């Protein structure tokens, strides 16, 4: 109750405060000397590469996860940067030279592009007849360094203004904290690896480490093989037991929330609509898609009684009687890739 109640209480307080202070002032920050950010990202990339190269992998049992040295967890975080954020961010900035894309959607698009780049790395390795376990590390490092150099040479360093509303930012952050705390709690409770679909993804990713899955002389790629190849590449460089590497992806379960907020904020960007994104993200957290659909049916068809309403909504969405999608209890591609990609298309 406490780990969800406290952030939700903060969210409710900030939500109410926003509704009562429509004319609150925004804070404008002028970002100058953007080349410093480029230097910081280059240093971060090179540091991550060095950590992966020189920190030896932990070869102990996954059951001894509590005894894994801190330096290996740092290597794991470095591997996440090189497979899940940095390459996508660099490519996004190379393509978006005019800085048209701004705000929180940059994080979402950077992660989505990184997923695809990492998948492409693994797929090319397998297609060439090699194994990800042998060439994944070299390929990831080479790809990151290449895209980093392109970013440093091509991306412009123009100044820009950043406008923030402190109450809106506080509400979004408190909701993200709810999602992250919930995910980390589920992650720790189910260590070393949650049962169910996650173990199936784990087994298939291990197959892709050594080649395409072939049975009886026939290639049988399993759904969703993009996610499985991504996992295989991550396993090859993470430096901790692969099961724990997959379990650690719980930290990405905030992605649908951020993607949804980014899409709604762009759709309702007029001054009189400034509170709609905050209201939408808050209601979506509390109700899920099924709850929002139920409200829509009730408003569009007043003759719906509660039994008929539940019958219709539960037949089309399952978050009403199970859980709401924004706080998932497993690491699955539909949450960390599918929903963010859908909302990014709406953006």
């Amino acid at each position: 109750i406490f780990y969800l109640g406290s952030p939700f209480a903060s969210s409710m307080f900030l939500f109410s405060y926003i509704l009562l202070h429509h004319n609150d002032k925004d804070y404008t920050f002028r970002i100058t000397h953007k080349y410093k950010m480029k230097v910081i990202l280059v240093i971060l990339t090179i540091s991550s590469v060095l950590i992966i190269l020189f920190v030896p992998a932990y070869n102990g049992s996954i059951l001894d996860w509590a005894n894994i040295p801190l330096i290996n967890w740092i290597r794991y975080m470095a591997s996440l940067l090189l497979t899940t954020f940095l390459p996508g961010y660099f490519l996004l900035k190379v393509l978006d030279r005019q800085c048209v894309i701004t705000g929180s959607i940059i994080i979402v698009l950077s992660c989505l592009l990184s997923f695809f780049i990492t998948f492409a790395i693994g797929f090319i390795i397998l297609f060439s007849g090699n194994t990800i376990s042998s060439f994944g590390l070299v390929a990831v490092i080479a790809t990151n360094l290449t895209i980093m150099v392109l970013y440093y040479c091509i991306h412009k360093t123009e100044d820009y203004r950043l406008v923030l509303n402190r109450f809106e930012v506080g509400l979004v952050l408190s909701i993200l904290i709810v999602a992250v705390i919930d995910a980390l709690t589920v992650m720790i409770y189910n260590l070393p690896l949650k049962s169910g679909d996650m173990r199936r993804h784990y087994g298939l990713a291990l197959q892709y480490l050594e080649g395409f899955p072939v049975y009886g002389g026939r290639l049988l790629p399993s759904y969703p093989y993009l996610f499985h190849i991504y996992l295989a590449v991550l396993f090859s460089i993470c430096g901790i037991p692969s099961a724990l590497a997959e379990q650690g992806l719980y930290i990405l379960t905030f992605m649908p929330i951020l993607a949804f907020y980014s899409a709604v904020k762009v759709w309702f960007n007029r001054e009189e609509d400034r509170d709609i994104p905050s209201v939408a993200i808050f209601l979506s957290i509390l109700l899920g898609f099924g709850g929002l659909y139920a409200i829509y049916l009730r408003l569009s068809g007043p003759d719906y009684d509660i039994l008929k309403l539940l019958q219709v909504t539960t037949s089309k969405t399952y978050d009403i009687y199970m859980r709401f999608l924004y706080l998932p209890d497993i690491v699955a591609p539909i949450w960390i890739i599918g929903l963010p990609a859908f909302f990014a298309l709406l953006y």
Side-chain angles (χ1 to χ4, degrees):
I1 295 175
F2 177 77
Y3 78 88
L4 285 179
S6 296
F8 266 130
S10 302
S11 301
M12 181 62 74
F13 171 77
L14 291 169
F15 176 70
S16 303
Y17 203 95
I18 287 173
L19 296 180
L20 295 173
H21 294 77
H22 292 278
N23 299 320
D24 209 69
K25 295 182 179 180
D26 292 336
Y27 290 88
T28 301
F29 302 91
R30 186 172 183 82
I31 309 299
T32 59
H33 306 296
K34 279 185 62 180
Y35 71 90
K36 293 182 180 179
M37 179 59 66
K38 297 175 68 173
V39 173
I40 292 174
L41 289 172
V42 169
I43 293 175
L44 181 62
T45 304
I46 295 176
S47 300
S48 299
V49 169
L50 294 176
I51 290 173
I52 289 178
L53 287 176
F54 294 105
V55 175
Y58 174 80
N59 296 319
S61 171
I62 60 174
L63 299 178
D64 295 329
W65 58 268
N67 297 322
I68 297 178
L70 176 61
I71 190 65
N72 288 98
W73 290 111
I74 294 177
R75 172 173 171 170
Y76 174 64
M77 296 304 298
S79 68
L80 284 181
L81 286 175
L82 295 178
T83 58
T84 314
F85 180 75
L86 287 176
Y89 179 83
F90 290 146
L91 181 60
L92 179 64
K93 290 302 181 180
V94 168
L95 298 175
D96 182 28
R97 301 183 185 180
Q98 302 301 322
C99 296
V100 176
I101 300 174
T102 59
S104 56
I105 194 63
I106 291 178
I107 299 176
V108 177
L109 293 177
S110 297
C111 291
L112 292 176
L113 285 173
S114 295
F115 280 124
F116 179 78
I117 293 172
T118 304
F119 158 75
I121 292 172
F123 185 85
I124 292 173
I125 292 175
L126 295 177
F127 191 77
S128 64
N130 298 299
T131 63
I132 294 177
S133 59
S134 300
F135 292 91
L137 177 63
V138 175
V140 168
I141 292 176
T143 302
N144 274 272
L145 293 179
T146 300
I147 303 178
M148 180 195 72
V149 172
L150 289 176
Y151 162 76
Y152 192 85
C153 297
I154 295 177
H155 182 62
K156 296 180 180 180
T157 56
E158 298 179 352
D159 300 340
Y160 68 97
R161 291 193 311 159
L162 179 64
V163 180
L164 297 176
N165 182 280
R166 57 176 177 173
F167 302 108
E168 182 179 351
V169 171
L171 176 64
V172 175
L173 287 178
S174 60
I175 293 175
L176 291 178
I177 289 173
V178 171
V180 172
I181 292 178
D182 172 76
L184 292 178
T185 302
V186 175
M187 178 189 74
I188 295 173
Y189 182 78
N190 291 280
L191 282 169
L193 183 63
K194 195 178 188 305
S195 60
D197 287 349
M198 287 185 62
R199 295 190 179 182
R200 182 177 65 87
H201 294 315
Y202 172 67
L204 292 169
L206 291 180
Q207 293 182 1
Y208 279 103
L209 267 175
E210 304 302 328
F212 288 113
V214 178
Y215 301 96
R218 299 176 59 186
L219 177 63
L220 298 175
S222 58
Y223 167 84
Y225 60 88
L226 182 151
F227 182 61
H228 297 150
I229 294 179
Y230 160 80
L231 283 179
V233 176
L234 177 62
F235 292 168
S236 68
I237 69 172
C238 64
I240 62 175
S242 52
L244 296 176
E246 182 184 1
Q247 187 81 353
L249 293 179
Y250 269 104
I251 63 176
L252 299 178
T253 51
F254 70 90
M255 287 276 290
I257 304 173
L258 199 60
F260 177 73
Y261 169 76
S262 302
V264 175
K265 189 173 180 63
V266 169
W267 277 49
F268 300 95
N269 56 6
R270 296 181 302 177
E271 179 64 24
E272 58 268 27
D273 298 333
R274 58 181 297 175
D275 293 331
I276 291 181
S278 302
V279 174
I281 188 175
F282 188 80
L283 291 178
S284 65
I285 277 289
L286 292 179
L287 301 175
F289 292 113
L292 294 176
Y293 184 54
I295 292 178
Y296 165 75
L297 291 179
R298 187 67 181 84
L299 294 177
S300 60
D303 56 333
Y304 271 100
D305 57 30
I306 186 63
L307 293 179
K308 184 178 180 182
L309 195 66
L310 290 175
Q311 181 182 7
V312 173
T313 54
T314 53
S315 66
K316 297 182 179 180
T317 63
Y318 66 94
D319 51 306
I320 289 181
Y321 67 91
M322 289 183 65
R323 62 184 179 275
F324 42 96
L325 290 175
Y326 279 164
L327 296 180
D329 65 346
I330 64 171
V331 174
I334 188 175
W335 284 311
I336 64 175
I337 299 178
L339 283 176
F342 171 71
F343 291 135
L345 289 174
L346 294 180
Y347 177 87

